[in-house]
Structures are given as C-alpha cells and as structure tokens.
Amino acid sequence: MRLTSLVFTFGCMLLGGYLWGTAGVYAGILPVLVAIVLAMYALRQTADKPSASPPSSAPPEQRADLISLDTLESAALLIDRKYGIVAMNAEAVAAFGSQQTGEDIRVAIRHPSVIECVTTAMRQNRDAVREIEGLGRHSVVYRLRVGAAGTDRLLLSFADVSPARLAERMRADFVANASHELRTPLATLVGFIETLQGTAATDEAARDRFLDVMASEADRMTRLIDDLLSLSRIELDKNVRPREAIALEPLVNKFAETVSVSLEETDRVLVVAMDPDLPNVTADKDQILQVMHNLVSNAVKYGRAGSPITLSVKGEDSQRGRMQRVTIEDIGEGIPAEHLPRLTERFYRVDAGRSRSLGGTGLGLAIVKHIVERHRGMLDISSEIGKGTKISFTLPVALSQN
C-alpha cells in the first residue's frame, strides 16, 4: 500500500510540472497522464479496502462447528431428506449392524415406530420423539429422537432407557407382590374375626382353633413387614461400604451356639468347619449374622429331616483380592436348575404354597443378595436334585489386621 501512495504522489507532481512549465509542448500527452493518475488513484482505493476472507471450501464434516457422531454416547444416525443413511456412529453399528452409506433407513431398520417417527419429523419440520421396543438387542427400550441437522439432514438419536423402565417395572411388581402377600393373611384374619363375632361366638373349641390360626397369620404379617423394613434399610446403605474389621471365627462360633437350640427341636445339627488362623474381614457384624441366619433357616425348612447342615469358612484368592468364603450346605431334595437364576428375586418361590406354609416371606435371599453386594462380595447358589443345595458368599479380607 505504501508503494501505491508513492506512485500516486509522484504522478501528481509530474502532472503539476507538465502543466506549469511545458503546457504548450506537452499538451498532446496531457490526457494520457490524467488517465494514468486516475488509474493509480483507483488502485490505491482498492488496496486500502480490507480484503474479505475467501469462502470456506472445507466439506461440512470437516468444519470446526460440527462434531463427529462417534463423540455421542447414544447410538446415532444421520440421514438425508430422501431417507438415505449418511453416517452412523460406533454405537449404532453395534446395535443395528453396519449399513451401507446411502441405504434407505426404512430398509436398514425395518421398525414401524422408527419409520413413523422419521416421517413425522420430516413432514412437519419439527422434532419427533418415540419409545421403541423390539429393536436391536433383546429387552432393550430406546428413546428415539429425530431432529433437524441443518437444512437437508436429520439426526436420529437412540438413547437406551432400559434401566429406567426396568426399575419402574420392578417397583410396580414390588408393590403388587407386597400387597398380595399382606392381603392373604389379612383376609384370613378378617374372616375369622367375623366368624367369632357371629356363629362361633359361643363355640369354645372353634374359638381356640381360630385364635391359633389368627396368631399364626399375624406372625406371618409381622415377619413380612420386618423383612420389608430390613430390605429397605439395606438398600439405603447399599452404596456405603462397611469399614469395620471383624474376626469371623468368634462370630461363627457365637452364631452356631445361638441356633443349636432351635436345631435340636427339629432333630438337626449344625456342623462347623473353619480354616485355622482366619484373617479379619471388612464387614458389618449384624448384617453377616443376618445372612447366616437366613441361609441356615432355609436349610432347615427345605433340607431333609434329621440330616446335618454344614457351615464352612475358608480363604481364597480372586480377582477382587483375598477373600473369605462362607458356605452353608444342606442335604435335601435340591432345586431345579431353571429356578436358580431367579432365587434372589423378591417374592420369588420355587413352591409358593410350601414356602408360605413353612413361614417364608419370599424375601430372605433378596436380603442376602443385597447385603453381600454391599460388602462387595459374591453370592453363589448351586443345587443338585436329590442331593441338596449349597449357598456361599465371599467377604473381603481387611487390609489392616490390627
């Protein structure tokens, strides 16, 4: 720009000299000089203007204001207005399989709700949201959101909402099951009370028999409520890991002495076997006693009459570090293999009628599972028809043995 200014100044000076000293001699070339000066002036004006940035020739996918689909946590697809697939991220490929670029989304994902959601968003020019079941992996519920991604593309985002829906279903099932478990003994109590107030008011033998049944049903409701409260407290503390270091040997010996009296009434015996010099474990003493009580109670209910119950403790090394494994084993009918994965579900029973007649609430193993999970241990259940059932759980060895 400086060079242009100098040339312009020099031109003006030259023109002035021509006009002053040699106007007559050089009158013929005056128009030419004027044209040169004007051209230089125009050039200077152009040079003084700030230059505009050239338009970006980078393709849309390389622009800095756009992000890659692979940065999205949910499965996502980008399609054009002709339903052709433009791009998929890794989550979408894992969920729906690898599709060819340009393939019609209506062919690649043949789900009516997906097609309807995409069509609605495309025709009405607004975001569309649907919950999709039966797409991709089994038992997965997606929340599909289709929205504009520029003027000629749509973004399909599939958020996995299965955990939330499962939690809702579990809460609904829990309320329904708890209500059912309470309704049965309550109906029995109401029926017997009405009978005693009516025709059996003066029948002493019937009154005594009804009162025994009513007391049994009241005890059943009490146990159920106690287990529900216990399960609620355990779930509240599930993420708070125990910190106390306790010795297992005196705890197991004390437990064995406590249950021996009740076992004698059923002609049973508890056999205890422990490794010597057991290290301390990080655990909640009261909850470990509750676990052992629930497991031994199940062994008493479902084991063969007169057969021993074995409680053993031994150390082992695992991927989680040094652990102590506590095992309760009975001799009995055993449990069919198809029931084993569901035994820790709330209110699940292999034989509901037998369980209720024996005083079971259907919450014992659910409580055990939650306690073991709080201790960062593992619960294992194995059974063999005609031989019996073995249930074991692990506890982490305390880092400090002081």
Side-chain angles (χ1 to χ4, degrees):
M1 189 171 65
R2 289 181 180 179
L3 179 60
T4 306
S5 300
L6 289 173
V7 173
F8 176 76
T9 303
F10 177 75
C12 291
M13 292 173 63
L14 182 61
L15 176 60
Y18 285 155
L19 294 175
W20 179 261
T22 58
V25 179
Y26 298 101
I29 64 170
L30 179 60
V32 177
L33 292 175
V34 173
I36 292 174
V37 172
L38 293 176
M40 289 181 178
Y41 180 78
L43 179 62
R44 180 188 179 189
Q45 293 296 106
T46 304
D48 289 343
K49 290 182 180 179
S51 60
S53 300
S56 174
S57 59
E61 60 271 15
Q62 295 180 1
R63 285 169 48 191
D65 60 339
L66 297 181
I67 61 174
S68 170
L69 288 181
D70 284 327
T71 62
L72 300 178
E73 184 178 1
S74 303
L77 296 91
L78 197 63
I79 66 171
D80 57 30
R81 292 282 176 172
K82 295 181 179 180
Y83 297 93
I85 296 176
V86 177
M88 299 175 65
N89 66 357
E91 289 292 329
V93 172
F96 314 127
S98 178
Q99 310 295 340
Q100 297 294 327
T101 301
E103 185 174 356
D104 194 314
I105 187 69
R106 295 169 293 186
V107 177
I109 302 180
R110 299 177 180 177
H111 195 288
S113 297
V114 174
I115 298 172
E116 188 266 340
C117 188
V118 172
T119 303
T120 298
M122 195 175 297
R123 291 178 178 175
Q124 300 181 5
N125 287 321
R126 62 177 180 84
D127 290 0
V129 180
R130 299 287 187 280
E131 281 203 359
I132 310 296
E133 294 189 54
L135 176 64
R137 299 186 298 270
H138 296 295
S139 303
V140 177
V141 181
Y142 289 106
R143 184 176 183 269
L144 169 61
R145 185 182 189 89
V146 182
T151 57
D152 59 348
R153 293 180 178 179
L154 294 174
L155 177 65
L156 282 67
S157 177
F158 294 83
D160 186 354
V161 295
S162 303
R165 296 298 171 265
L166 179 60
E168 291 175 2
R169 191 175 298 116
M170 288 178 63
R171 283 194 293 269
D173 291 344
F174 177 75
V175 172
N177 288 327
S179 301
H180 174 74
E181 293 292 334
L182 287 170
R183 186 183 296 113
T184 302
L186 187 59
T188 302
L189 288 175
V190 171
F192 283 170
I193 289 173
E194 291 177 350
T195 303
L196 290 174
Q197 290 175 336
T199 57
T202 58
D203 190 338
E204 186 174 348
R207 183 171 64 249
D208 292 341
R209 185 172 69 255
F210 289 169
L211 287 174
D212 288 341
V213 177
M214 292 168 64
S216 176
E217 294 298 324
D219 288 342
R220 178 182 165 189
M221 284 197 296
T222 302
R223 287 193 302 271
L224 179 59
I225 293 172
D226 288 343
D227 282 351
L228 287 172
L229 292 174
S230 178
L231 186 58
S232 177
R233 287 193 297 267
I234 293 168
E235 288 184 332
L236 286 175
D237 296 333
K238 184 170 63 174
N239 296 322
V240 181
R241 190 171 183 175
R243 298 181 179 274
E244 182 183 1
I246 64 173
L248 269 181
E249 185 173 356
L251 185 68
V252 171
N253 288 333
K254 179 181 178 181
F255 170 76
E257 291 177 2
T258 303
V259 301
S260 61
V261 176
S262 59
L263 289 178
E264 288 177 357
E265 297 176 358
T266 59
D267 195 23
R268 309 290 290 276
V269 62
L270 181 66
V271 179
V272 178
M274 290 186 287
D275 286 349
D277 302 324
L278 291 172
N280 293 343
V281 294
T282 303
D284 183 313
K285 183 183 299 184
D286 292 334
Q287 287 191 344
I288 298 307
L289 286 172
Q290 185 177 8
V291 169
M292 291 190 295
H293 176 76
N294 285 357
L295 295 181
V296 170
S297 296
N298 283 346
V300 172
K301 293 173 185 174
Y302 305 111
R304 192 169 297 138
S307 63
I309 299 170
T310 303
L311 192 162
S312 61
V313 184
K314 64 178 182 179
E316 66 177 40
D317 292 325
S318 69
Q319 294 180 348
R320 300 188 177 190
R322 296 180 61 200
M323 310 289 284
Q324 295 293 320
R325 181 174 292 276
V326 182
T327 304
I328 289 88
E329 186 175 3
D330 66 58
I331 299 173
E333 300 176 4
I335 303 171
E338 62 268 20
H339 294 286
L340 295 180
R342 301 190 60 187
L343 288 179
T344 56
E345 294 181 14
R346 301 169 184 175
F347 300 110
Y348 184 83
R349 296 178 174 92
V350 177
D351 187 339
R354 181 184 179 188
S355 174
R356 291 191 181 96
S357 65
L358 294 173
T361 63
L363 294 172
L365 287 179
I367 291 173
V368 168
K369 182 192 74 170
H370 282 79
I371 291 177
V372 172
E373 287 179 348
R374 185 196 172 208
H375 285 73
R376 307 305 189 265
M378 296 290 293
L379 178 67
D380 296 310
I381 304 176
S382 60
S383 186
E384 199 170 341
I385 299 298
K387 292 187 177 181
T389 302
K390 180 192 297 185
I391 302 179
S392 65
F393 62 95
T394 58
L395 297 171
V397 171
L399 298 179
S400 174
Q401 295 297 315
N402 296 330

